Amino acid sequence: MHDSSDVLSLNKVSEHVTFIGAGYVAMELATFLAAAGSQVTILVRGKHVLRHFYQKYSAELVTRMVQRGIQFKFATEATCITQLSDKYVVELNQGSSLVTDYVVNASGRTSNIEKLDLSAAQIDYSPKGINVDQHLQTSVKNIYAIGDVTSQDVPNLTTVAEFQSHYLFNSLEKGLSQPINYPAIGTGVFAFPQLAQAGINPDSVSEDKDNFEIVEYELSQSSLYAGQKEKGLLTVVYDKANYIVGVSEISTSAVNDVNYFVPIIGLRIRKNEWHQNVLPIYPALADKIEGILR
């Protein structure tokens, strides 16, 4: 099997490529390989892709990718992979099999802690990683852990690991004692169309109508989308004080759009405050946001 580094080093694309997994890596690499001419099949262990994203838009992304010829097989796992000459036979849990030219393992990465012998040091851990408190300290005093190796419920992103490292440096070097307080975190999938979000996921508060309002906007009415066939959708989560606390978007420019919302969420800005203090360049991506927040 191959990994993402192998795919990025290819000199030519294969006729048929199979991905095991449907996270960031699979969705992004499948997009550009399909655009380059490969037939692409994605094996999804469960019923959904990108489960940490707004599921309405994750499902919409699947629909758009299927329209581009990418095939998804849900509730499907590879049980055995056999190489026969220049082909691979992938046996599936449903009793069937498929023949492919190239197999990519994009099933996700787990914390690489097996060889650390953490039990000998009496450090608590779980299958998700090393357990840490709000100061990033493990169960053993003066031993800390940051990044993907921890079991914290935060996105496993480079930016998050860097933020943790700065926090830990300030705590240890400067003697600061306050617990870590994560800022608004933006994340995106560079598929086509793009999928991005920051702050609160609408799925997590959809039933809490007393404290949150969820509003969806269709971006195709923007002048920047004039003539485009791709429909853009943006969902904004407002709290009861009318602060923007979360955004999710699927569009050809979702990553850039959501990046504009990250400071709005992090700095706690209301709709009317944005309009009173910000007048972006027109026409530009930020103009869409200005129109929405009026």
Side-chain angles (χ1 to χ4, degrees):
M1 282 197 297
H2 304 277
D3 60 20
S4 57
S5 297
D6 297 327
V7 175
L8 296 174
S9 300
L10 286 172
N11 294 319
K12 63 178 182 178
V13 297
S14 300
E15 182 177 346
H16 186 275
V17 179
T18 298
F19 284 88
I20 300 174
Y24 289 83
V25 171
M27 301 295 274
E28 293 175 348
L29 296 182
T31 296
F32 86 72
L33 285 177
S38 293
Q39 291 180 293
V40 177
T41 299
I42 299 178
L43 307 183
V44 188
R45 183 174 60 181
K47 297 180 180 180
H48 308 283
V49 304
L50 301 167
R51 62 184 183 277
H52 297 300
F53 284 81
Y54 184 27
Q55 282 304 294
K56 177 179 179 180
Y57 290 173
S58 294
E60 178 66 19
L61 178 58
V62 170
T63 298
R64 307 274 187 97
M65 292 175 71
V66 168
Q67 291 171 350
R68 288 181 166 79
I70 297 172
Q71 182 182 26
F72 288 82
K73 289 183 176 293
F74 290 93
T76 303
E77 297 182 58
T79 58
C80 181
I81 301 173
T82 305
Q83 184 171 4
L84 297 176
S85 185
D86 58 346
K87 300 283 186 180
Y88 292 89
V89 178
V90 182
E91 303 291 339
L92 306 176
N93 61 322
Q94 299 170 341
S96 59
S97 64
L98 62 86
V99 178
T100 186
D101 300 299
Y102 200 85
V103 181
V104 182
N105 182 7
S107 57
R109 297 174 179 172
T110 57
S111 300
N112 187 17
I113 59 176
E114 289 79 8
K115 297 181 180 180
L116 296 180
D117 201 7
L118 296 172
S119 298
Q122 298 183 325
I123 296 175
D124 292 338
Y125 63 96
S126 72
K128 293 183 178 180
I130 298 173
N131 299 327
V132 295
D133 62 16
Q134 292 183 322
H135 299 272
L136 302 180
Q137 184 171 254
T138 68
S139 56
V140 178
K141 186 178 180 180
N142 294 328
I143 298 181
Y144 299 82
I146 63 172
D148 297 1
V149 75
T150 70
S151 62
Q152 282 196 312
D153 189 21
V154 293
N156 289 330
L157 303 171
T158 301
T159 51
V160 173
E162 290 175 345
F163 182 83
Q164 291 171 333
S165 68
H166 290 305
Y167 162 81
L168 197 55
F169 172 80
N170 288 325
S171 296
L172 299 178
E173 185 71 15
K174 300 180 181 180
L176 302 181
S177 59
Q178 63 265 35
I180 190 168
N181 182 27
Y182 290 100
I185 300 172
T187 182
V189 180
F190 289 86
F192 194 89
Q194 297 173 359
L195 182 63
Q197 70 180 27
I200 293 176
N201 184 325
D203 288 327
S204 66
V205 295
S206 60
E207 302 299 323
D208 191 0
K209 293 180 172 55
D210 292 334
N211 294 304
F212 298 96
E213 179 186 11
I214 300 173
V215 182
E216 184 172 72
Y217 302 90
E218 186 172 322
L219 301 177
S220 58
Q221 297 176 355
S222 166
S223 60
L224 291 168
Y225 276 80
Q228 292 192 25
K229 295 181 180 180
E230 290 286 344
K231 181 175 69 172
L233 295 170
L234 168 69
T235 292
V236 180
V237 180
Y238 302 96
D239 67 11
K240 61 182 179 181
N242 210 29
Y243 286 108
I244 296 172
V245 293
V247 293
S248 297
E249 180 175 328
I250 180 169
S251 76
T252 56
S253 59
V255 171
N256 278 326
D257 291 355
V258 168
N259 254 343
Y260 282 110
F261 278 103
V262 172
I264 296 174
I265 296 170
L267 297 174
R268 298 279 291 168
I269 299 174
R270 290 187 175 94
K271 288 195 296 184
N272 62 326
E273 291 173 335
W274 171 268
H275 182 59
Q276 290 168 359
N277 294 284
V278 177
L279 195 60
I281 296 171
Y282 175 86
L285 294 174
D287 179 65
K288 288 190 296 188
I289 298 171
E290 195 273 339
I292 288 170
L293 297 183
R294 286 183 180 178

